[in-house]
Amino acid sequence: MRLTLPRVVMALIGVLLLTYAFAVAPATVAGRRPEAPPDRIAQATQDVLTPAVASESPRPAPTVFPPTGKAFIGVMTDKGPYDFTPVDGFTAAARYQPQVMLFSVGWASAPFDRSLFDQISDRGMLPMLGWEPWDQRIDEEGRKQKLANREIDKIRRNQPRYRLSHIARGDFDLHLRSWAEGIKSLGYPVAIRFGHEMNGDWYPWCESVNGNRPGDYVKAWRHVHDLFRDAGVTNVIWVWSANVRWNDSTPALAPLYPGDSYVDWIGMTGYYGSGAFSQYRSFDTIFKRTVTEIRAFSKKPLVVTETGAAEASGRKAEWIREAFRTLPAYPDIIGLIWFEVDKERDWRIVSSPAASAAFAEGVAAPRYDVTWSSDAVPRTEVGR
């Protein structure tokens, strides 16, 4: 006989009725209290007919980082996660715990090191990797020799081994896969800012130098992104980060953009106190043109991935205060990372009590009351 659900149910009901007839009913007749009253038999029958459904409490919605209407504040130092002393100084001066830490790694001599990411995460900060396809030692050597900045640019940007076309054709795939597997194993989000300021002429991955050609940057970016995707890496926030445009002498940004399906956050680098902005230029003057240009081809969230102010004209603290007054007018900017380094200029907020006080005053606003956690989901759409 073929077993079917109706037949199984009828058989079970029959067993229950026989149990009642031979055990419960005689006890009742004998004047004894029945051990299993009829209503329990009925309930047992109903239990057979009705499948049990396990009750599960609903899971809480994941935290979005940063929440809508908020913006995070991050920091970058010259020591990175190798020495947190500058981060501690920044935190004390700002009276504020940064939520993101940006640090740079070149491709020439840096195998994946999990401890760098864990140390940042353990301090309550999202690690943002500035991933730079070059031999950074050339830059370091030029600075030791105290060469002028433009002289250093000329030397370091000519590195044929790291041409964009070489990245796109797979010359570095073994290196990329080792990092992809390492980042995948972390189990928490990591932001990757690959080949930043590609619209300049000072890095070997800029399209205008090192034998690169138009379109090569997008091909290289997509190759790196797709390799991570094919390796099953799902915990990366991809950050495409250009230098701000101050006039038409620098390349337009749209041809360098790999597309919204390849990018989560759009970054911008802009400083007050050097180069085109040696004279006083407000935050709005430095960033507005670039924001407008970006919005013509993407609506992805914006992050100021590098900024700082020097004591040009003695107006550093003034610029910091003005910047924080202006930022709420840019609701699409979901984060700002301060360059806490004494390099070409002293960009640090710890450079003076006035700069520290101005920064502390700015980040005390409720808009920056944000906490990062390793299980937070990055906000990848404006307003969500």
Side-chain angles (χ1 to χ4, degrees), residues 23-35:
V24 177
T28 305
V29 172
R32 291 184 286 111
R33 184 179 178 180
E35 295 178 4

Side-chain angles (χ1 to χ4, degrees), residues 305-316:
T305 42
E306 277 188 52
T307 194
E311 285 290 0
S313 306
R315 302 176 72 178
K316 181 173 185 173

Side-chain angles (χ1 to χ4, degrees), residues 166-215:
H166 295 181
I167 298 172
R169 76 186 183 189
D171 287 8
F172 297 92
D173 282 4
L174 186 62
H175 179 74
L176 297 180
R177 287 194 185 95
S178 69
W179 276 77
E181 292 299 331
I183 289 175
K184 179 181 177 181
S185 71
L186 292 175
Y188 52 79
V190 169
I192 294 182
R193 186 179 71 150
F194 166 73
H196 64 292
E197 299 171 22
M198 75 303 291
N199 58 321
D201 63 1
W202 44 85
Y203 291 125
W205 57 81
C206 297
E207 276 198 348
S208 61
V209 300
N210 201 31
N212 298 320
R213 298 179 179 179

Side-chain angles (χ1 to χ4, degrees), residues 235-268:
N235 58 322
V236 170
I237 305 166
W238 292 97
V239 185
W240 181 86
S241 181
N243 201 70
V244 293
R245 295 188 69 208
W246 53 87
N247 57 38
D248 292 329
S249 66
T250 55
L253 299 180
L256 297 165
Y257 187 65
D260 281 356
S261 60
Y262 287 87
V263 174
D264 298 305
W265 293 348
I266 293 179
M268 300 174 289

Side-chain angles (χ1 to χ4, degrees), residues 69-146:
K70 301 280 190 177
F72 67 78
I73 298 296
V75 65
M76 181 180 187
T77 72
D78 56 346
K79 305 297 184 183
Y82 300 97
D83 182 355
F84 283 91
T85 302
V87 175
D88 293 339
F90 173 87
T91 302
R95 300 194 292 275
Y96 181 87
Q97 168 63 48
Q99 298 92 40
V100 175
M101 183 174 178
L102 170 63
F103 69 104
S104 297
V105 172
W107 285 16
S109 59
F112 177 79
D113 183 352
R114 179 186 180 115
S115 67
L116 301 179
F117 297 88
D118 285 345
Q119 290 179 77
I120 295 172
S121 175
D122 290 346
R123 283 173 164 253
M125 296 181 289
L126 167 71
M128 181 181 289
L129 169 66
W131 216 18
E132 303 175 354
W134 67 333
D135 187 343
Q136 72 283 355
R137 294 169 297 189
I138 296 174
D139 176 80
E140 294 167 359
E141 185 60 31
R143 297 190 183 282
K144 288 180 182 177
Q145 297 177 20
K146 299 187 182 302

Side-chain angles (χ1 to χ4, degrees), residues 275-336:
F277 307 116
S278 295
Q279 301 300 315
Y280 190 84
R281 298 288 188 276
S282 67
F283 180 94
D284 196 58
T285 302
I286 294 172
F287 287 96
K288 185 175 183 179
R289 175 191 172 119
T290 304
V291 170
T292 301
E293 183 174 349
I294 290 170
R295 280 295 170 253
F297 59 81
S298 177
K299 302 300 181 185
K300 285 291 183 176
L302 305 174
V303 176
V304 177
T305 42
E306 277 188 52
T307 194
E311 285 290 0
S313 306
R315 302 176 72 178
K316 181 173 185 173
E318 178 185 347
W319 189 89
I320 292 172
R321 285 195 174 88
E322 186 273 336
F324 278 104
R325 285 196 300 267
T326 304
L327 272 168
Y330 292 90
D332 294 355
I333 295 179
I334 66 168
L336 179 147

